[in-house]
Amino acid sequence: MTDTPIRSASTLIILRNFASRPQVLMGQRGSKAAFMPNKFVFPGGAVDTADSAIRLAQPLTDRCHANLQQDSTGPAPETLAVAAIRELWEETGLMLGALEAWPDAPEDWADFAKAGFRPSAANMYFFFRAITPPGAPRRFDARFFLVNADQLSGDLDDFSNASDELSHLQWVCLDEVRSLNLPFITSVVLGELVGMTEIGAPNSVPFFKNQDEESLFLRLQGLYQ
């Protein structure tokens, strides 16, 4: 029997009020979802083919770019960043971008461009990577990006433009988030946030590499230390 194919995915961890009492943006997946039903997760989802055609207003850092390329034959780092920004936009209505005219924006990005923005990876950091273990109904090679909520545009409490993919969108204090119904990997990612002194690129990126043959916990370190 052939195992479920692995799709590339991107996720955004948004931290708010980091200097005082940090909060993270979470939403709940539907009860009928094939993957992680009822679980609270960060905004994110599978990479689309069209993501590779979107130009970023500002690029990822060299360190993030190098770490994303390590042990990867998947989409380009820029495509992964675009997918994370698109998923955030679709699932929450919040925009991560830079002010720039975008007259030829695709239809799916029309409202994003109408607001005067183009997707931007400035101050967006590759933070975690995990491959869904074998046996799950859907499997993803997920890259988790970290960003300060200050980088977002608009009202951070206005989710009126969100799709219905995630419900109960909310900012949850880091010291309370574990009371939610979380997937195992989300709990692990949250653990990596504990003790963090600044929002920036980590020296190394944790990688849960779950393959058919073995499961490994690695640390990705690109050319930039």
Side-chain angles (χ1 to χ4, degrees):
M1 183 176 68
T2 302
D3 191 28
T4 307
I6 300 174
R7 297 184 64 187
S8 290
S10 292
T11 293
L12 264 175
I13 308 163
I14 313 290
L15 287 178
R16 185 181 186 183
N17 300 330
F18 183 75
S20 53
R21 192 182 182 196
Q23 297 174 309
V24 65
L25 181 59
M26 307 290 291
Q28 187 176 33
R29 294 182 58 79
S31 60
K32 297 182 179 179
F35 187 70
M36 296 183 177
N38 295 315
K39 298 291 187 179
F40 278 86
V41 297
F42 310 115
V47 175
D48 289 345
T49 302
D51 293 329
S52 63
I54 304 300
R55 178 181 65 82
L56 290 165
Q58 295 172 289
L60 292 160
T61 65
D62 289 340
R63 176 186 290 180
C64 293
H65 195 279
N67 285 344
L68 283 162
Q69 289 183 309
Q70 186 178 345
D71 202 358
S72 177
T73 57
E78 295 80 8
T79 301
L80 293 166
V82 168
I85 297 169
R86 175 183 53 75
E87 287 288 338
L88 176 73
W89 163 240
E90 292 175 353
E91 294 184 345
T92 72
L94 300 177
M95 291 182 288
L96 177 60
L99 287 170
E100 182 179 314
W102 193 7
D104 58 345
E107 183 178 352
D108 289 347
W109 291 88
D111 288 339
F112 201 101
K114 186 177 180 180
F117 293 93
R118 179 186 285 269
S120 172
N123 301 312
M124 178 177 172
Y125 305 106
F126 179 34
F127 186 76
F128 199 97
R129 180 179 173 189
I131 297 177
T132 311
R138 293 183 182 176
R139 297 187 68 194
F140 297 96
D141 185 350
R143 284 77 163 188
F144 294 75
F145 293 91
L146 179 67
V147 72
N148 193 321
D150 292 346
Q151 298 293 119
L152 304 182
S153 300
D155 184 348
L156 296 179
D157 296 304
D158 181 7
F159 303 117
S160 59
N161 292 319
S163 68
D164 59 0
E165 188 167 347
L166 293 180
S167 62
H168 302 102
L169 285 162
Q170 58 190 288
W171 295 95
V172 187
C173 291
L174 277 181
D175 57 4
E176 298 176 353
V177 69
R178 292 181 184 276
S179 65
L180 299 177
N181 182 12
L182 302 173
F184 166 75
I185 198 62
T186 303
S187 295
V188 175
V189 175
L190 288 166
E192 290 289 321
L193 296 174
V194 176
M196 193 172 63
T197 58
E198 63 179 358
I199 299 177
N203 291 327
S204 63
V205 177
F207 178 18
F208 270 80
K209 188 177 182 180
N210 291 299
Q211 299 174 307
D212 294 342
E213 301 81 11
E214 59 183 346
S215 295
L216 303 172
F217 179 67
L218 308 174
R219 288 270 174 179
L220 299 175
Q221 292 179 311
L223 299 177
Y224 296 83
Q225 304 302 324

